[in-house]
Amino acid sequence: MVGTLLFHCGMSVISREEIHCVVMWYSVLFSVVLLHSARGQVSYSIPEEMSKGSIVGNIAQDLGLDLQRLRSGKARIYTGDSTEYIGLIKDTGLLFIKEKMDRESLCAKTTPCALHLQMILENPMELYTITVEIMDINDNPPTFQKRRIEFEISESAVTGARFMLERAMDADVGINGLQSYSLKPTDNFMIELHSKESGDKNVEMVLQRSLDREKKGVLTLLLTAFDGGDPQLSGTVQIHVTVLDVNDNAPVFTQKVYKAILTENAPKGTKLTTVSATDADEGSNGHVTYNIASTDETGENLFIFDQHSGEVTLNGLVDFEKANHYELDVQAKDLGGLSDSCKLIINVLDINDNKPVISLLSMSNSVSEDSTPGTVVAMMKVDDADSGVNGQIHCMINDNIPFALISSSSNFISLRIEQQLDRERDAAYNISVTCSDQGVPALSSNASLSLQISDVNDNAPVFEKSHYEACVLENNTPGLSIFTVKASDADWNQNARVSYILEDSTVNGVSVSSYVSIHPDSGLITAVRSFDYEQLKDFHFRVKAQDGGSPPLSSNVTVNIIIQDQNDNAPQVLYPVQTGASVVAEIVPRAADVGYLVTKVVAVDVDSGQNAWLSYKLQKATDRALFEVGLQNGEIRTVRQVTDKDAVKQKLTVVVEDNGQPSRSAVVSINVAVADSFPEVLSEFTDFTHEKQYDDTLTFYLILALAVVSLLFMVSVISIISVKIYRWRQNKLFYKSGANLPVIPYYPPVYPDGTLQHVYNYEMCGTTDSRMSDMKFVRPYSQNTLVSQSRMGTVQREKKEQEVDDLTLEVRPCLTFYNV
């Protein structure tokens, strides 16, 4: 019977399993998988660590059994223990791996390692023996039980000394088990292996070169164990060798001759120098002590040696006139009796023991900052009791001050002004005069002089900022404190007292003092009047700061006041125009779709910023489900399809609100006619004027004719008047009077260029004598707009009022603008 072994390597296994997978493939390619099969018995050989589901062999084929027999006999695998490693597929007769097997866990060092299974069949009952040998793969590296091995070896150890090392352990067997060792570096030690009867190998470290602690006191070696698998695995352990010392080195002085300098009259206990010897040994073998081997009679008991540190100190007083030179022999010895010696030479120096004496002859307490250079402010005399070089004196003062010392004779010194003084930089000087002799070491004396600098008015006030700017809300209360300007003067006392003056200027032809005032001492600027943003948005003026010197000095600064807008103006509705004498209605055909544009509410707000941001809301409506108004653009559109059931008359109320805090609003009413024919609209809207009904006998054609004639007449009249006035005003108003009409443009958010979907007519009127003007919305021209006339059937027109004085007739020319 022939057995077959199949297995696979998954792509998701870890790196260790990848190694196992490679080994298993090699086992399949180069090993005999099926060992032998006999009647009722079959054997297989598989590598360990095969993944779950891997095929072991075809038991039905190898035993010569029919697959039907396996199914009818309810074939099953009996393992005898709780773990089932091998499973059977009855339909195909294949044996497969149910649990991954680790040879080391199952058999440890036992070889061969095999699983003994039985396959049991029923009807009739049969028993077949299956042996599965688990082949070892190199999945365990050699390991050491310890991370570090330590030895203490004396440097006197002889060559050939052996030191037993810990063996490495490898759970694999055969060629995959532990095979060899290596040791690095091999400067002092080598490795020897000894085989045991059990087949294991002992490892020893052999000293092949003598140790020297003074060269290297600690050796670090790396022991590596290798197995024979493919790929080869290894394990390492560090070996730390501490070299123990022996007394094989004598102390050695760092210098053969030490020199020290000692001044006469040095106090007892003065440290002269420190001698030092080193011993390459360690511990007690390297401990060095110091003592004086010999000295002359004059130096006996005059110097003390610290036997542990080698420090030399003075034990008495030395006199240069008695002895100026000492020579000592010093010995260093370790505890092993080895020693070394050196020579210590001490030279005594003569000292300069008299300090210069400074006497102040004359001194000025203060000097003006405008004093001329060369002015003498102090006179001094300096004496030194020493002679020769020790009596020669040199005097100096502290650096970076505008003064200098001038020596007029050997002992007299004057202090003079060297540079121009500035009280604002330094108001006082503490002058330190130091006089030193030329002795070694030099002795010196100090004298301190205090000099005050008196002020002159040489600095103008300086503002904290080069330009001031402040914001004030309009409609402020008179007397409101705006902000404070601040100027400082570097001078002192009265010369530094600053007063603030508002320079005379005009704002819109009016003196600036009628707008703001300034406190002369504090610089606080207050508002004199209440500001109106719509009339004045900003203005500037100049403030002068003047000190109290004689003559006074001053400086100027520009102050800019910015008026901030408040929401003090309600929105103004430009369209539709609300009139009490006529009814304006927008026509919506019954066939209008969803989103049909009925009309657009146009409003403006003379405020600025967010106070002029307008929003539109539908407040009331005859049928709220039919119309909606755009929040930002004011467009009124249909929400749903217009039906025949909708009433012809629809009345909408729209609220226009600005974005101020608190907000202001305006309300506009809009009449909407839902109809397809003009007669139907007229019949429904005749009651909007609250006047008498039209004559029932008046026919539709007459009404239509009157409306068309009236409309054409109005358009013709307005067009002619507009052209005439435009030509006349262009030459008369704009160029002669120079008055600019304050037109506030308003563009709804949906129309950034200011265009509307309807034709609007605006009338702007202004007088030739004043700068005031107004603007009226006359009437929108749209095909969807109906004007209900009075019972006389005439089109209403806005009457222009003419005011006639007793002597002068005021002419108000109007400009009509069309916006499509």
Side-chain angles (χ1 to χ4, degrees):
M1 284 180 278
V2 181
T4 304
L5 174 63
L6 300 174
F7 64 96
H8 65 277
C9 298
M11 294 303 291
S12 62
V13 295
I14 59 176
S15 59
R16 180 178 176 183
E17 291 183 349
E18 290 176 357
I19 297 176
H20 299 166
C21 193
V22 173
V23 175
M24 287 191 287
W25 275 111
Y26 277 102
S27 299
V28 171
L29 295 175
F30 303 107
S31 302
V32 177
V33 178
L34 180 62
L35 298 179
H36 66 275
S37 64
R39 180 66 177 172
Q41 181 175 348
V42 65
S43 298
Y44 297 95
S45 179
I46 63 173
E48 64 173 327
E49 302 292 346
M50 289 182 66
S51 60
K52 290 183 180 181
S54 299
I55 304 302
V56 176
N58 193 324
I59 190 66
Q61 180 180 349
D62 295 338
L63 292 176
L65 299 177
D66 189 7
L67 295 178
Q68 182 62 30
R69 171 64 179 136
L70 295 180
R71 290 190 289 270
S72 62
K74 299 180 181 180
R76 59 188 176 89
I77 299 297
Y78 175 74
T79 60
D81 55 14
S82 58
T83 305
E84 295 183 2
Y85 292 100
I86 304 297
L88 172 63
I89 303 175
K90 298 177 183 179
D91 296 334
T92 60
L94 295 176
L95 296 175
F96 67 94
I97 303 296
K98 293 183 68 176
E99 294 291 338
K100 185 181 291 188
M101 291 174 284
D102 184 12
R103 192 206 64 78
E104 288 74 32
S105 299
L106 293 174
C107 304
K109 290 289 186 178
T110 302
T111 56
C113 180
L115 294 177
H116 300 283
L117 314 173
Q118 290 78 36
M119 185 178 71
I120 301 174
L121 297 176
E122 299 177 359
N123 300 321
M125 185 173 293
E126 293 181 288
L127 180 66
Y128 297 94
T129 301
I130 304 172
T131 302
V132 179
E133 183 180 359
I134 303 172
M135 306 297 293
D136 182 49
I137 65 173
N138 192 24
D139 58 345
N140 292 283
T143 57
F144 292 91
Q145 293 183 353
K146 296 181 180 179
R147 293 180 177 270
R148 175 170 171 167
I149 301 175
E150 296 185 354
F151 289 99
E152 290 185 352
I153 303 175
S154 174
E155 64 177 334
S156 61
V158 297
T159 303
R162 297 176 177 271
F163 305 91
M164 182 66 67
L165 299 177
E166 176 191 350
R167 292 190 299 109
M169 305 299 295
D170 194 327
D172 295 324
V173 296
I175 191 64
N176 294 328
L178 179 64
Q179 298 296 321
S180 61
Y181 293 88
S182 70
L183 182 67
K184 294 182 180 179
T186 58
D187 298 338
N188 298 94
F189 295 93
M190 61 178 294
I191 288 294
E192 286 188 2
L193 301 180
H194 301 281
S195 298
K196 299 172 61 176
E197 293 181 358
S198 61
D200 295 334
K201 296 180 180 180
N202 289 333
V203 57
E204 288 183 334
M205 184 173 66
V206 181
L207 180 64
Q208 62 177 357
R209 184 176 298 173
S210 299
L211 302 177
D212 187 353
R213 192 205 63 80
E214 286 73 35
K215 291 183 178 179
K216 197 168 187 179
V218 177
L219 302 178
T220 300
L221 310 175
L222 185 65
L223 177 64
T224 305
F226 300 94
D227 62 17
D230 187 13
Q232 189 179 53
L233 303 179
S234 64
T236 60
V237 65
Q238 281 191 346
I239 302 175
H240 287 258
V241 178
T242 302
V243 182
L244 302 179
D245 183 52
V246 295
N247 190 24
D248 56 350
N249 292 279
V252 177
F253 276 103
T254 57
Q255 298 176 215
K256 282 299 180 181
V257 177
Y258 288 87
K259 293 184 178 181
I261 297 176
L262 178 64
T263 59
E264 64 173 326
N265 297 332
K268 183 179 179 180
T270 300
K271 178 181 176 181
L272 300 181
T273 187
T274 300
V275 296
S276 176
T278 58
D279 195 316
D281 297 325
E282 67 175 3
S284 60
N285 296 327
H287 185 72
V288 180
T289 59
Y290 303 92
N291 63 319
I292 299 177
S294 63
T295 183
D296 52 21
E297 295 181 359
T298 57
E300 187 177 0
N301 299 326
L302 190 59
F303 304 100
I304 298 177
F305 273 82
D306 188 319
Q307 63 176 354
H308 299 293
S309 64
E311 183 178 274
V312 183
T313 56
L314 182 63
N315 192 37
L317 295 177
V318 293
D319 188 354
F320 178 80
E321 286 71 28
K322 292 181 179 180
N324 59 5
H325 177 82
Y326 295 93
E327 192 171 308
L328 308 176
D329 291 324
V330 183
Q331 184 182 54
K333 182 186 295 184
D334 61 20
L335 297 183
L338 302 179
S339 63
D340 191 18
S341 62
C342 70
K343 188 178 294 294
L344 173 61
I345 299 175
I346 302 174
N347 293 316
V348 181
L349 299 179
D350 191 16
I351 63 171
N352 179 28
D353 54 355
N354 290 285
K355 295 181 179 181
V357 178
I358 303 174
S359 301
L360 184 61
L361 302 180
S362 178
M363 176 67 188
S364 299
N365 294 326
S366 65
V367 61
S368 176
E369 64 175 326
D370 59 352
S371 299
T372 58
T375 303
V376 177
V377 296
M379 291 289 296
M380 292 169 288
K381 182 181 180 183
V382 183
D383 295 309
D384 194 319
D386 292 327
S387 59
V389 176
N390 294 333
Q392 296 179 2
I393 302 171
H394 173 70
C395 295
M396 60 182 180
I397 58 176
N398 42 317
D399 298 332
N400 300 323
I401 59 174
F403 299 95
L405 291 176
I406 304 299
S407 177
S408 57
S409 64
S410 59
N411 294 339
F412 291 92
I413 299 174
S414 62
L415 179 65
R416 299 183 182 182
I417 298 175
E418 183 73 10
Q419 301 173 7
Q420 186 66 48
L421 302 178
D422 186 359
R423 193 210 64 83
E424 288 70 38
R425 184 182 60 190
D426 293 294
Y429 291 94
N430 290 320
I431 305 172
S432 178
V433 180
T434 302
C435 294
S436 303
D437 57 26
Q438 301 298 317
V440 179
L443 299 179
S444 61
S445 297
N446 297 319
S448 296
L449 308 177
S450 296
L451 182 63
Q452 300 292 329
I453 309 300
S454 59
D455 184 49
V456 295
N457 189 27
D458 55 350
N459 290 279
V462 178
F463 282 95
E464 293 179 346
K465 298 180 180 179
S466 60
H467 177 79
Y468 287 89
E469 186 173 280
C471 298
V472 181
L473 284 175
E474 67 171 331
N475 303 321
N476 60 288
T477 57
L480 174 69
S481 297
I482 301 177
F483 73 105
T484 302
V485 296
K486 184 69 176 177
S488 59
D489 196 312
D491 293 325
W492 181 75
N493 206 355
Q494 186 66 24
N495 295 332
R497 182 176 180 180
V498 179
S499 299
Y500 301 93
I501 303 170
L502 186 65
E503 289 191 354
D504 190 21
S505 61
T506 60
V507 177
N508 291 340
V510 181
S511 175
V512 70
S513 60
S514 63
Y515 287 87
V516 294
S517 65
I518 187 169
H519 193 279
D521 295 328
S522 64
L524 176 63
I525 298 176
T526 57
V528 176
R529 64 166 63 179
S530 179
F531 301 122
D532 186 0
Y533 175 82
E534 285 70 36
Q535 295 182 359
L536 181 65
K537 291 180 173 56
D538 62 80
F539 64 95
H540 64 273
F541 54 90
R542 293 180 67 84
V543 174
K544 180 171 70 172
Q546 182 174 288
D547 61 23
S550 179
L553 301 178
S554 63
S555 61
N556 301 318
V557 71
T558 299
V559 179
N560 188 27
I561 304 296
I562 299 175
I563 312 301
Q564 291 183 334
D565 183 45
Q566 280 189 327
N567 192 25
D568 55 348
N569 292 279
Q572 297 178 7
V573 179
L574 300 180
Y575 179 79
V577 179
Q578 301 297 293
T579 60
S582 62
V583 176
V584 179
E586 302 291 340
I587 299 177
V588 178
R590 293 189 180 275
D593 293 331
V594 177
Y596 177 80
L597 178 61
V598 178
T599 186
K600 180 170 183 176
V601 178
V602 181
V604 296
D605 195 318
V606 296
D607 291 323
S608 65
Q610 66 177 9
N611 295 330
W613 297 350
L614 301 181
S615 60
Y616 303 83
K617 298 179 182 177
L618 186 61
Q619 186 182 49
K620 295 180 182 180
T622 304
D623 187 353
R624 280 187 172 270
L626 182 56
F627 301 101
E628 66 176 1
V629 61
L631 180 63
Q632 303 296 334
N633 55 24
E635 292 181 349
I636 300 176
R637 296 180 179 270
T638 57
V639 180
R640 59 175 175 80
Q641 181 74 37
V642 180
T643 64
D644 295 337
K645 296 180 180 180
D646 293 324
V648 176
K649 293 188 296 181
Q650 299 283 340
K651 187 170 183 179
L652 310 178
T653 302
V654 177
V655 177
V656 184
E657 292 184 346
D658 59 25
N659 198 36
Q661 294 294 332
S663 63
R664 295 176 178 269
S665 62
V667 180
V668 58
S669 297
I670 302 170
N671 297 316
V672 179
V674 180
D676 292 327
S677 63
F678 192 68
E680 182 183 357
V681 176
L682 292 178
S683 63
E684 292 292 338
F685 277 82
T686 52
D687 59 343
F688 276 3
T689 59
H690 304 288
E691 294 180 0
K692 229 169 166 186
Q693 296 288 339
Y694 289 112
D695 188 2
D696 294 335
T697 61
L698 191 62
T699 64
F700 166 74
Y701 298 102
L702 180 58
I703 296 174
L704 180 61
L706 290 174
V708 172
V709 171
S710 300
L711 181 62
L712 292 176
F713 176 77
M714 287 185 63
V715 171
S716 301
V717 172
I718 292 174
S719 300
I720 294 172
I721 295 175
S722 299
V723 173
K724 294 276 188 187
I725 293 176
Y726 174 77
R727 292 177 178 177
W728 178 77
R729 290 291 291 174
Q730 189 172 13
N731 295 327
K732 187 73 173 177
L733 180 62
F734 288 95
Y735 291 95
K736 183 176 181 180
S737 64
N740 294 325
L741 297 179
V743 179
I744 303 176
Y746 171 79
Y747 302 141
V750 179
Y751 303 96
D753 58 352
T755 62
L756 302 177
Q757 292 183 353
H758 299 283
V759 178
Y760 297 95
N761 180 11
Y762 297 87
E763 179 181 271
M764 177 165 28
C765 300
T767 65
T768 57
D769 296 337
S770 72
R771 297 183 180 179
M772 300 300 294
S773 62
D774 58 29
M775 180 175 64
K776 295 182 181 179
F777 178 87
V778 178
R779 182 178 295 109
Y781 291 92
S782 172
Q783 294 178 354
N784 296 333
T785 304
L786 171 67
V787 180
S788 179
Q789 308 298 330
S790 65
R791 59 183 168 181
M792 297 304 295
T794 59
V795 179
Q796 286 191 346
R797 303 171 183 171
E798 293 185 357
K799 297 181 179 180
K800 300 181 180 180
E801 297 179 0
Q802 296 182 351
E803 297 180 1
V804 181
D805 296 337
D806 294 340
L807 298 177
T808 304
L809 176 63
E810 179 179 347
V811 180
R812 301 177 64 199
C814 298
L815 298 182
T816 303
F817 296 88
Y818 292 87
N819 192 2
V820 179

